[in-house]
């Protein structure tokens, strides 16, 4: 009789072993960087585990729709790629769904916090839940990421547990996301080219596409005169195509390129998989946003990172940490100059770095040096490429963040 009584519980435990539900929270702050990483993470998790149910809660469905066909930004609930997608802002709908089917695992991406309806549910005595929250952090090259990875945090209840999970560039972190489409674009240039050709207008991809030196500008707004002038000069040496990606910095890039009579191609918003393929084909890129930044690190083609500007220029500290990891001295000076925001105040940590590098402070001299530096980088592309590829190979060895995360949920956190 005792064995018979235990059978239902054994069956439940077996189902748990094969089936997993994960709730993913994404509060969109930087247009596409946040949702880009979260979308990629969900795809990678689904690729690794067939019996996985994902409930994706997003604060800005407009941004999601622009990088993925199939998302309807007017619907507060929809099924997409086998996932359930909810509008963070529809409290009544979400509360009803999650009360009926409470979460077991929650990925709280980029310290986005939790919506009020979920907070109320988690700490309600009525439900008495046992929930594991994983704070999937922003990507950083700073050394504290190694110590912060898998560090536990407290909540208002002993039953609601929280642990921190750090993407990163070392084996002591969770690594970077290696989804199937990306990995194929990385290893098969023909696949990437065909994917781009199938999805972009023929007017965008000229007959000279494959034979030209391809430059991508996907940066925050700034005066790009120095870059346009350098590209113009470089165009006398090489056949080039300049692509300007849609987004916040597109207009300022176009103004400068027109001023210096540099021809360019405006890019439409693309599905993330197509964007990956397009990025992989670029010879030199200027990129922003965590998702595109991480892809460029992994592709191994020369690029310059336009980091998100922070108060008192603290982003210089983060930039410096990355430059110390990638170890390509040729890009250091330009990277610092390119990312200065020249705000009234500068934190001591950033000021110390900038003074050590002995960078100019007069705007005219800065623009002149930026042109000189970037022109040199473009001209020396061939010698730079092996250095970027070396960095790519090193971080690929750290494994797939999605696989490392699943391993944590399945084996190291009791269910």
């Amino acid at each position: 009789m005792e064995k018979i009584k235990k059978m239902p519980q054994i069956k439940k435990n077996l189902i748990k072993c094969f089936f997993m539900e994960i709730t993913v929270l994404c509060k969109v702050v930087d247009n596409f960087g946040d949702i880009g990483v979260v979308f990629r993470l969900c795809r990678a998790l689904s690729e690794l585990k067939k019996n996985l149910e994902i409930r994706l809660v997003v604060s800005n469905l407009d941004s999601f729709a622009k990088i993925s066909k199939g998302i309807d930004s007017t619907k507060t609930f929809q099924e997409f790629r086998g996932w359930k997608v909810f509008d963070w802002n529809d409290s009544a709908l979400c509360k009803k769904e999650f009360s009926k089917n409470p979460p077991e695992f929650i990925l709280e991406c980029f310290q986005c916090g939790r919506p009020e309806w979920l907070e109320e549910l988690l700490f309600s005595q009525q439900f008495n839940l046992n929930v594991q929250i994983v704070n999937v952090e922003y990507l950083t090259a700073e050394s504290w990421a190694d110590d912060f990875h898998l560090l536990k945090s407290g909540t208002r209840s002993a039953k609601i547990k929280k642990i921190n999970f750090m993407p990163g560039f070392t084996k002591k972190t969770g690594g970077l996301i290696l989804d199937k489409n990306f990995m194929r674009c990385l290893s098969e240039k023909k696949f990437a080219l065909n994917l781009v050709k199938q999805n972009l207008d023929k007017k965008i991809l000229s007959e000279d596409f494959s034979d030209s030196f391809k430059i991508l500008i996907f940066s925050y707004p700034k005066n790009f005169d120095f870059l346009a002038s350098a590209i113009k000069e470089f165009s006398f040496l090489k056949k080039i195509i300049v692509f300007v990606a849609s987004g916040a910095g597109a207009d300022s890039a176009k103004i400068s390129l027109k001023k210096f009579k540099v021809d360019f191609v405006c890019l439409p918003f693309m599905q993330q998989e197509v964007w990956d393929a397009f990025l992989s084909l670029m010879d030199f890129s200027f990129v922003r946003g965590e998702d595109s930044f991480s892809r460029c690190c992994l592709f191994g083609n020369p690029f310059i990172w336009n980091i998100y500007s922070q108060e008192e220029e603290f982003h210089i500290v983060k930039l410096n940490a990355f430059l110390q990891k990638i170890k390509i001295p040729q890009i250091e000076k330009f990277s610092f100059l390119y990312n200065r925001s020249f705000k009234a105040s500068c934190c001591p940590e950033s000021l110390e770095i900038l003074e050590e590098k002995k960078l100019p402070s007069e705007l005219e001299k800065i623009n002149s040096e930026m042109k000189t530096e970037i022109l040199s980088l473009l001209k020396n592309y061939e010698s730079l490429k092996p250095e970027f590829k070396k960095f790519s190979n090193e971080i690929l060895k750290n494994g797939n963040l999605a696989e490392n995360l699943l391993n944590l949920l399945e084996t190291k956190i009791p269910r």
Side-chain angles (χ1 to χ4, degrees):
M1 284 296 292
E2 187 65 28
K3 285 184 179 180
I4 294 171
K5 285 180 182 177
K6 286 183 179 179
M7 282 302 290
Q9 185 58 47
I10 291 169
K11 189 175 180 181
K12 280 184 182 179
N13 289 339
L14 282 171
I15 291 171
K16 272 191 165 188
C17 288
F18 293 104
F19 173 81
M20 178 183 283
E21 180 274 325
I22 299 177
T23 295
V24 185
L25 304 178
C26 177
K27 195 168 189 178
V28 181
V29 178
D30 180 26
N31 288 321
F32 311 107
D34 302 322
I35 187 59
V37 174
V38 171
F39 178 34
R40 187 182 302 281
L41 177 59
C42 289
R43 287 196 289 112
L45 290 170
S46 296
E47 290 165 359
L48 291 166
K49 190 172 180 67
K50 290 182 180 178
N51 298 310
L52 175 65
E53 180 181 298
I54 290 178
R55 291 187 292 184
L56 178 52
V57 184
V58 183
S59 69
N60 185 334
L61 289 169
D62 286 332
S63 291
F64 195 2
K66 284 179 178 176
I67 64 168
S68 182
K69 286 181 181 176
I71 288 291
D72 186 341
S73 60
T74 65
K75 291 183 178 180
T76 55
F77 169 74
Q78 56 202 293
E79 292 197 8
F80 173 70
R81 295 193 177 216
W83 316 330
K84 293 178 179 178
V85 181
F86 297 86
D87 186 340
W88 175 302
N89 307 295
D90 192 333
S91 302
L93 173 73
C94 291
K95 192 171 183 179
K96 183 180 178 181
E97 159 70 19
F98 286 84
S99 296
K100 188 169 61 177
N101 300 298
E104 184 179 10
F105 295 113
I106 296 174
L107 303 186
E108 193 176 299
C109 301
F110 316 125
Q111 294 188 48
C112 66
R114 299 178 288 273
E116 287 184 17
W117 53 263
L118 182 56
E119 193 77 357
E120 185 181 327
L121 173 67
L122 289 177
F123 298 101
S124 167
Q125 292 183 351
Q126 175 189 347
F127 293 98
N128 193 30
L129 300 177
N130 285 289
V131 179
Q132 177 64 59
I133 299 171
V134 180
N135 172 40
V136 182
E137 261 291 359
Y138 283 107
L139 173 63
T140 181
E142 293 168 281
S143 58
W144 60 263
D146 291 359
D147 300 323
F148 202 64
H149 185 55
L150 303 184
L151 192 68
K152 293 178 181 178
S153 297
T155 70
R156 290 188 282 129
S157 168
K159 290 191 170 186
I160 309 298
K161 297 178 172 60
K162 188 171 182 179
I163 192 168
N164 296 292
F165 193 92
M166 296 296 303
F169 299 103
T170 72
K171 285 198 174 293
K172 292 183 179 180
T173 65
L176 298 178
I177 305 167
L178 308 177
D179 57 281
K180 286 182 180 177
N181 180 79
F182 166 78
M183 292 302 288
R184 197 166 176 194
C185 290
L186 176 65
S187 60
E188 299 178 40
K189 190 171 182 179
K190 188 176 180 180
F191 168 78
L193 185 58
N194 286 337
L195 188 57
V196 168
K197 285 181 176 179
Q198 288 165 14
N199 288 276
L200 292 184
D201 194 299
K202 290 180 180 178
K203 293 177 183 176
I204 294 172
L205 301 181
S206 66
E207 293 180 2
D208 294 335
F209 182 83
S210 296
D211 299 326
S212 299
F213 189 91
K214 294 169 281 294
I215 300 172
L216 172 68
I217 303 175
F218 178 51
S219 289
Y220 294 110
K222 60 169 69 250
N223 183 337
F224 285 101
D225 283 3
F226 71 90
L227 180 56
S229 177
I231 290 174
K232 183 69 175 179
E233 197 169 322
F234 183 60
S235 68
F236 294 123
L237 304 174
K238 225 169 180 57
K239 183 166 63 176
I240 66 164
I241 305 178
V242 179
F243 295 98
V244 178
S246 299
D251 287 343
S252 53
K254 291 174 192 174
I255 289 168
S256 292
L257 291 167
K258 286 177 181 176
K259 181 178 175 180
F260 286 87
K261 296 181 173 56
V262 176
D263 292 334
F264 60 90
V265 179
C266 295
L267 295 173
F269 286 102
M270 303 179 202
Q271 293 180 73
Q272 190 177 66
E273 294 93 331
V274 180
W275 178 246
D276 282 355
F278 193 84
L279 265 182
S280 74
L281 299 171
M282 295 298 102
D283 294 301
F284 205 106
S285 300
F286 299 83
V287 293
R288 66 176 177 89
E290 177 165 328
D291 189 55
S292 295
F293 165 56
S294 68
R295 296 309 97 186
C296 281
C297 287
L298 289 161
F299 277 131
N301 293 327
F303 74 95
I304 296 293
W305 180 30
N306 190 190
I307 188 171
Y308 186 76
S309 180
Q310 294 183 305
E311 287 185 13
E312 297 188 316
E313 301 219 53
F314 190 76
H315 59 277
I316 293 296
V317 175
K318 297 179 178 295
L319 174 65
N320 187 54
F322 168 66
L323 292 171
Q324 288 179 349
K325 282 281 190 303
I326 197 168
K327 295 176 184 174
I328 304 178
Q330 299 96 308
I331 68 170
E332 282 193 11
K333 186 175 182 180
F334 179 78
S335 294
F336 284 119
L337 291 171
Y338 187 63
N339 282 287
R340 287 295 310 272
S341 53
F342 301 99
K343 294 178 179 177
S345 58
C346 189
C347 68
E349 297 92 337
S350 295
L351 194 60
E352 184 180 347
I353 293 167
L354 294 169
E355 287 178 348
E356 182 189 332
K357 302 299 176 184
K358 297 179 179 177
L359 300 172
S361 55
E362 303 83 14
L363 196 57
E364 188 176 334
K365 192 170 183 182
I366 288 165
N367 287 330
S368 174
E369 292 206 16
M370 277 201 289
K371 178 189 172 181
T372 301
E373 288 294 319
I374 194 57
L375 187 56
S376 175
L377 293 175
L378 291 170
K379 287 179 178 178
N380 292 288
Y381 158 82
E382 291 295 343
S383 62
L384 281 175
K385 190 165 182 177
E387 298 299 313
F388 280 90
K389 197 63 183 173
K390 180 183 175 184
F391 181 62
S392 165
N393 292 336
E394 286 173 1
I395 54 180
L396 282 166
K397 292 175 186 175
N398 297 329
N400 184 355
L401 179 147
E403 190 172 353
N404 295 334
L405 180 56
L406 267 181
N407 182 53
L408 172 71
L409 297 179
E410 290 183 320
T411 63
K412 295 183 180 178
I413 296 177
R415 301 182 68 183

